[in-house]
Amino acid sequence: MDRAWNFSAGPAALPEAVLRQAQADLLDWNGSGASVMELSHRGKRFMELAAATEERLRRLMGIPANYRVLFLQGGATQHFAQIPMNLAPRDGSADYIVTGVFSRKAVSEAAHHVNANVAATSEADDFRSLPPRDTWRLDPSASYVHYTPNETIRGLEFHDVPDVGDVPLVADMSSNILGAPLDVSRFGLIYAGAQKNIGPSGLVVMIVRDDLLERAPQPIAKILRYAEQAKNDSMLNTPNTWGWYLAGLTFEWIEGQGGLAVMGERNARKSATVYAAIDGSDGFYRNDVQRSARSRMNVSFVLHDTALDAVFLQESEAAGFIGLKGHKAIGGMRASLYNAVSEPAVDELVKFMRDFAARHG
């Protein structure tokens, strides 16, 4: 069966090598006579896999020794609520930078557990730009500052790490983690849903500084407390063993590709190729995001005539492309260029876009 050119925003493409290894292991993983999904998470084989997976991620990202790596469940949305429970007293405050739908959702969920202050937002611009730094109203006594480095729906990205002083910086990196090198020491907590650059949905990878685990500001169930998960090596309850295993294969694949420096260079080339096709289309395609904030992971674009949207999607699917329909909140198209999306796939997309414009322009 031919594989599609997959530009889905999430769940998204996985490296073909990872899928083939998982396929080969499905009935007999690691000589166990069973799949990884059928074995105890407390057995020797899985415990070794868990330790190796964490160590590989630490190497890839250069995670300092004073940070814990957690493999959790619930998706990033659950942690919109769980983070303030763990990091802030109920009568305390936290600052939020709102640059899209997901950071806005983070504020909404956090507001049940902390005074969630919108310290900056670009909502008035319909999230087409980043709020200028001189407009940020940060509280030096806030428990943390939360932001979303890459917003998948509009395709808006911070290309640097904001300086927020001594307040811990918390980042929802669901859509750009592992996409380029990163100085983890700039953050208090990083979390990411796995379904874009890590593995299948249902797993959340969290990197949290030790001192933040010592906070116990709100009375919450043990299962929700990050310190308890860290104490139990992310196995306070039965974890997502399948997701953990696939994450490990993905980390191994990234290492084999040359690591995050290579991923960053490749992702920059891929996004530049698609943006060049949009900008060079004489108005047939258009991207409305501030150029300095354009995402390397999610390239959104509209056609000059919305009547052509359905035709574009129909013809692109017939040509072997999937996942190009834009989010319902803004319409149009979106090409997600995560690590597993190859440069040949991007070249094929651009070739199709140019051919479509020539035929329908």
Side-chain angles (χ1 to χ4, degrees):
M1 186 183 76
D2 290 335
R3 295 272 294 163
W5 303 113
N6 187 355
F7 291 90
S8 298
L14 285 166
E16 186 171 329
V18 167
L19 294 173
R20 292 193 180 279
Q21 183 62 54
Q23 182 183 50
D25 288 347
L26 193 59
L27 297 180
D28 181 11
W29 170 65
N30 201 20
S32 65
S35 75
V36 70
M37 293 177 286
E38 299 171 286
L39 298 174
S40 170
H41 59 293
R42 300 195 185 281
K44 182 175 185 292
R45 283 188 172 91
F46 190 83
M47 295 292 283
E48 289 174 347
L49 175 146
T53 299
E54 177 179 338
E55 182 55 34
R56 185 165 275 123
L57 181 62
R58 284 185 175 276
R59 286 199 305 270
L60 275 173
M61 297 186 70
I63 299 173
N66 64 323
Y67 285 73
R68 294 297 302 268
V69 177
L70 306 179
F71 293 86
L72 306 173
Q73 300 181 64
T77 300
Q78 176 175 309
H79 295 275
F80 292 165
Q82 209 166 324
I83 285 167
M85 292 182 194
N86 279 269
L87 300 189
R90 183 169 286 278
D91 59 352
S93 69
D95 286 338
Y96 281 76
I97 311 303
V98 178
T99 53
V101 170
F102 288 105
S103 48
R104 186 169 60 191
K105 284 179 67 176
V107 172
S108 177
E109 292 300 318
H112 297 288
H113 308 283
V114 69
N115 294 318
N117 169 50
V118 177
T121 180
S122 56
E123 188 162 10
D125 189 32
D126 201 19
F127 302 128
R128 290 182 171 87
S129 64
L130 297 173
R133 298 293 169 86
D134 60 4
T135 68
W136 292 24
R137 298 294 177 257
L138 298 174
D139 179 358
S141 65
S143 294
Y144 59 87
V145 178
H146 180 285
Y147 84 123
T148 305
N150 185 77
E151 287 276 2
T152 61
I153 292 177
R154 180 69 71 182
L156 187 77
E157 183 179 6
F158 286 82
H159 291 283
D160 64 346
V161 178
D163 182 357
V164 296
D166 294 330
V167 178
L169 184 62
V170 172
D172 173 7
M173 290 192 178
S174 295
S175 56
N176 69 336
I177 194 169
L178 302 177
L182 181 74
D183 182 358
V184 173
S185 69
R186 298 284 303 278
F187 299 86
L189 185 152
I190 293 167
Y191 66 112
Q195 67 273 14
K196 302 174 190 292
N197 257 346
I198 296 174
S201 59
L203 178 74
V204 169
V205 173
M206 179 173 289
I207 303 163
V208 55
R209 206 171 62 212
D210 286 344
D211 63 287
L212 297 184
L213 290 173
E214 296 171 5
R215 295 185 180 184
Q218 297 190 27
I220 56 175
K222 182 184 290 188
I223 193 68
L224 299 178
R225 194 172 297 287
Y226 298 143
E228 292 292 337
Q229 291 287 1
K231 191 185 303 181
N232 289 273
D233 297 320
S234 304
M235 296 186 192
L236 189 58
N237 64 331
T238 305
N240 179 349
T241 55
W242 175 246
W244 204 326
Y245 155 78
L246 281 175
L249 291 184
T250 302
F251 301 159
E252 183 178 5
W253 176 81
I254 293 173
E255 277 193 324
Q257 297 295 301
L260 297 191
V262 170
M263 290 293 105
E265 293 165 2
R266 187 180 297 173
N267 289 329
R269 288 195 301 269
K270 290 187 303 186
S271 58
T273 297
V274 182
Y275 285 122
I278 294 168
D279 296 338
S281 68
D282 294 326
F284 189 90
Y285 303 109
R286 189 181 76 249
N287 173 273
D288 292 329
V289 173
Q290 178 186 36
R291 291 200 177 209
S292 61
R294 282 176 165 181
S295 171
R296 292 166 292 185
M297 294 285 102
N298 310 98
V299 179
S300 64
F301 59 96
V302 295
L303 280 65
H304 75 99
D305 181 358
T306 55
L308 289 171
D309 286 4
V311 182
F312 183 94
L313 291 169
Q314 182 180 30
E315 290 192 12
S316 63
E317 187 170 347
F321 299 93
I322 61 174
L324 288 172
K325 186 175 182 179
H327 193 276
K328 61 184 179 180
I330 64 171
M333 309 299 156
R334 174 176 51 177
S336 294
L337 311 177
Y338 303 125
N339 289 345
V341 177
S342 67
E343 290 186 270
V346 170
D347 292 339
E348 289 296 323
L349 173 62
V350 166
K351 187 188 304 182
F352 171 81
M353 291 171 64
R354 287 174 176 156
D355 176 69
F356 186 88
R359 290 184 289 105
H360 295 281

